[in-house]
Amino acid sequence: MLDENKKEVILEISHLHKKYDENFAIKDLSLKLHKREVVVLVGSSGCGKSTLLRCINLLEDVQGGEIKLCGETISNRKSNLSEIRQKIGMVFQNYELFPHKNVLDNIILAPIKVQKRKKEEVIEDAKVLLKRVGLEGKAYSMPSQLSGGQKQRVAIVRALCMNPEILLFDEVTASLDPEMTREVLEVILELADMGKTMLVVTHEMQFARAVADRIVFMDEGSIIEATIPEDFFESPNSEKVKAFLDTFTYKQKRK
Amino acid sequence: MDYEFIIKFLPLYKNAAILTLKIGIIGIIFAIIIGLALTIITFYQVPVLRNITKFYIELSRNTPLLIQLFFIYYGLPKVGISIKAEMCAILGLAFLGGSYMAETFRSGIEAIDVIQKESAYSLGFSKLQTIIYIILPQAIRVSLHGIIANIIFLLKETSVFSAISIMDLMFTAKDLIGIYYNTIEALLMLVLFYLIILLPISIIGILIERKMKYV
Ligand SMILES: Nc1ncnc2c1ncn2[C@@H]1O[C@H](COP(=O)(O)OP(=O)(O)OP(=O)(O)O)[C@@H](O)[C@H]1O
Ligand SMILES: [Mg+2]
């Protein structure tokens, strides 16, 4: 814990405000991610988790505060967006592979066209990564021939192949059945072991507990609890977190 | 049926068909280029240009090709620009077709989920790269049916070119009827040649459409 402050800061969000029309989706939110840290973002539906990731990835303007990536202010940038987004890998909830390209082309297109890397070299990287997620046999399949879990693993590989500084995951297993959920979450766990810096939004509490260095709980656009998994699950401070966690135990009893 | 007449004037029709096809193809290629350019302008809401685009699309879609042709053929020389009739025909077809292609591409693009655009941005693709590598290839597949319908529509529209003295199929048929009164034969060959041009396009269109479906 002591050397926590000495570690390199990858992402620093301070007093962020984001409004849709007159409604705040993010309110005075501050959050710091260090290198190799895995932060899991939880909270009930509509609390602003996706919005936060979209702001980080510059898909949204913000109305106040700032976001810094590797020390550089990125929020409300109007130019060189590509340069910043290359440092951020994002995977969304719904399979967003490019349907007109096969698996390998989905992965190598951005490294080749955006980062101007050599094709042979990128293909090699892509194949190594595909093998790591158990999809070495699918390089030449079209996305429509893959299961949901396979698509999400390809989407993760596609983000990884850009060698980003930080990975953002937005409920990547929300549309998957339990078996596929597991195969995708295991990939994310492995990335955590490899020391990737990650900000993960999930509704899978078991997984959150296993993967997180820190769990951040959001409510109505603000962070109201941020702590290590044990404390979050065993002794949450806020009533709202307790109520939130209760919804999961309740669900489990009914099953 | 006067078969002698048919055989005698077959080469004339053949040449007219080739001319019609030549003008048609070049005009359609320009129409597609204009359509793509307008689509990019509309997609990225480029200021000023997008207003011009809107105006052009309305103007082009809501006036008959014949009148567009007259403006080009008789109007341009009045302001000091004189061009050959063939060039006028190509310009007219491109002017009319550009808006139809743009509208077809636009509906194709609207069918593509925004998440495709956002995932491309997330990977660092620029706006232009996103439309070229990600959006358009998908949109073209979606709108292929409409594109082929446009091509057939535009080729049929070429029948008005005779009005500016282009010796196309229509002109040939009218001419022959005027001289020899072999109305039935002349019209039969006219229909036949249009079918010869258009049917293969329909068939090729269906085949491409089938092939372009994602495996
Ligand atoms: N494009 C938009 N326009 C207007 N309001 C929006 C827009 N996107 C999100 N919101 C609002 O912002 C708030 C936060 O939404 P957000 O999608 O970030 O929630 P979330 O925590 O990701 O929820 P979920 O768990 O359901 O995905 C919600 O109240 C939502 O209605
Ligand atoms: Mg969400």
Side-chain angles (χ1 to χ4, degrees):
Chain A
M1 276 323 264
L2 258 181
D3 60 346
E4 192 77 344
N5 287 326
K6 283 191 214 140
K7 271 196 198 163
E8 188 185 337
V9 177
I10 298 288
L11 181 73
E12 185 171 6
I13 301 169
S14 23
H15 306 290
L16 193 72
H17 290 281
K18 164 73 196 168
K19 273 203 266 187
Y20 286 116
D21 302 319
E22 286 312 300
N23 308 312
F24 278 103
I26 306 274
K27 239 183 316 196
D28 194 26
L29 184 146
S30 300
L31 178 67
K32 221 189 243 184
L33 252 86
H34 295 90
K35 198 174 177 94
R36 305 170 78 85
E37 194 181 16
V38 179
V39 169
V40 170
L41 197 58
V42 299
S44 47
S45 183
C47 70
K49 306 178 295 290
S50 299
T51 305
L52 180 62
L53 297 196
R54 291 173 59 83
C55 290
I56 297 170
N57 209 10
L58 308 181
L59 292 170
E60 304 282 350
D61 282 339
V62 300
Q63 279 71 46
E66 69 171 356
I67 303 172
K68 281 183 168 179
L69 183 71
C70 304
E72 190 186 0
T73 301
I74 62 169
S75 38
N76 290 349
R77 270 284 189 118
K78 289 288 170 274
S79 58
N80 291 342
L81 295 185
S82 166
E83 216 173 284
I84 293 151
R85 286 177 175 142
Q86 287 175 47
K87 296 185 191 162
I88 304 169
M90 178 144 177
V91 182
F92 300 82
Q93 169 179 340
N94 292 311
Y95 334 113
E96 80 296 10
L97 296 180
F98 306 132
H100 59 301
K101 302 243 173 238
N102 70 25
V103 166
L104 189 64
D105 287 339
N106 258 279
I107 299 167
I108 64 176
L109 193 65
I112 292 172
K113 300 291 180 194
V114 177
Q115 294 181 324
K116 314 279 184 220
R117 286 165 59 194
K118 275 215 203 75
K119 189 170 177 183
E120 301 76 47
E121 177 197 309
V122 179
I123 289 179
E124 214 163 283
D125 283 5
K127 288 195 167 162
V128 170
L129 289 170
L130 276 176
K131 189 159 185 202
R132 186 167 267 160
V133 301
L135 292 174
E136 60 268 46
K138 298 286 183 192
Y140 300 99
S141 302
M142 296 304 281
S144 58
Q145 298 169 312
L146 303 182
S147 73
Q150 290 171 331
K151 282 185 210 170
Q152 285 300 54
R153 282 183 280 160
V154 174
I156 292 172
V157 168
R158 189 174 68 178
L160 272 178
C161 204
M162 297 289 284
N163 295 313
E165 295 288 341
I166 182 170
L167 286 160
L168 311 176
F169 292 106
D170 191 2
E171 295 192 46
V172 290
T173 61
S175 341
L176 302 179
D177 63 32
E179 209 175 311
M180 292 185 199
T181 297
R182 194 176 179 94
E183 66 190 35
V184 173
L185 295 184
E186 261 161 15
V187 168
I188 301 178
L189 276 164
E190 200 185 316
L191 295 177
D193 285 341
M194 287 162 57
K196 300 280 178 197
T197 314
M198 299 194 279
L199 182 54
V200 183
V201 174
T202 184
H203 280 298
E204 304 282 335
M205 289 305 133
Q206 300 248 12
F207 165 70
R209 189 166 189 163
V211 81
D213 294 315
R214 246 188 321 150
I215 294 195
V216 169
F217 181 83
M218 271 181 80
D219 185 60
E220 293 183 3
S222 305
I223 292 176
I224 59 171
E225 190 143 339
T227 177
I228 56 169
E230 288 82 74
D231 291 353
F232 182 81
F233 288 105
E234 308 302 340
S235 50
N237 289 321
S238 131
E239 287 305 316
K240 283 197 168 149
V241 176
K242 280 178 201 157
F244 174 76
L245 289 173
D246 278 348
T247 61
F248 287 92
T249 36
Y250 172 71
K251 266 189 193 159
Q252 280 168 356
K253 274 184 195 154
R254 297 260 299 200
K255 264 184 194 165
Chain B
M1 186 76 62
D2 185 347
Y3 290 106
E4 223 167 280
F5 175 88
I6 291 181
I7 289 163
K8 187 171 169 204
F9 291 110
L10 211 54
L12 210 58
Y13 273 92
K14 199 191 81 195
N15 291 341
I18 290 171
L19 182 66
T20 300
L21 207 54
K22 190 180 108 191
I23 294 174
I25 288 172
I26 299 175
I28 286 166
I29 289 173
F30 278 118
I32 290 175
I33 294 171
I34 294 173
L36 285 177
L38 299 187
T39 307
I40 292 175
I41 290 169
T42 315
F43 188 68
Y44 287 119
Q45 299 282 306
V46 182
V48 187
L49 281 183
R50 94 169 196 243
N51 300 326
I52 297 174
T53 296
K54 233 175 143 183
F55 175 75
Y56 157 74
I57 288 178
E58 291 310 318
L59 182 71
S60 151
R61 281 171 67 91
N62 294 308
T63 49
L65 177 59
L66 188 60
I67 293 173
Q68 296 171 4
L69 272 181
F70 279 177
F71 260 87
I72 296 170
Y73 189 64
Y74 297 110
L76 286 187
K78 288 265 183 309
V79 293
I81 307 165
S82 63
I83 42 178
K84 280 196 343 201
E86 262 180 47
M87 198 59 198
C88 287
I90 290 171
L91 274 183
L93 207 58
F95 184 85
L96 176 72
S99 63
Y100 277 83
M101 292 296 178
E103 289 291 277
T104 304
F105 291 142
R106 187 178 56 86
S107 67
I109 282 180
E110 276 167 8
I112 312 285
D113 203 321
V114 284
I115 195 148
Q116 288 287 320
K117 182 168 94 176
E118 293 183 345
S119 344
Y121 286 171
S122 298
L123 286 164
F125 286 104
S126 69
K127 283 181 168 191
L128 193 63
Q129 285 176 324
T130 300
I131 190 152
I132 289 174
Y133 296 122
I134 310 301
I135 306 296
L136 270 184
Q138 294 184 55
I140 287 172
R141 276 174 173 81
V142 173
S143 44
L144 202 62
H145 190 82
I147 295 170
I148 289 159
N150 285 347
I151 290 175
I152 291 170
F153 159 74
L154 290 171
L155 284 174
K156 284 195 280 195
E157 285 293 297
T158 58
S159 58
V160 309
F161 290 160
S162 57
I164 57 170
S165 317
I166 285 182
M167 304 229 276
D168 70 343
L169 285 171
M170 193 68 180
F171 188 93
T172 306
K174 276 202 288 199
D175 223 25
L176 291 179
I177 294 171
I179 300 170
Y180 301 97
Y181 301 106
N182 280 27
T183 314
I184 303 279
E185 288 82 1
L187 287 182
L188 197 72
M189 283 206 280
L190 177 65
V191 171
L192 211 69
F193 269 93
Y194 264 109
L195 281 179
I196 290 174
I197 293 177
L198 293 173
L199 268 185
I201 293 174
S202 290
I203 293 166
I204 291 169
I206 291 168
L207 292 180
I208 297 179
E209 236 178 299
R210 236 184 251 162
K211 235 194 127 179
M212 291 273 258
K213 292 237 167 76
Y214 310 127
V215 190

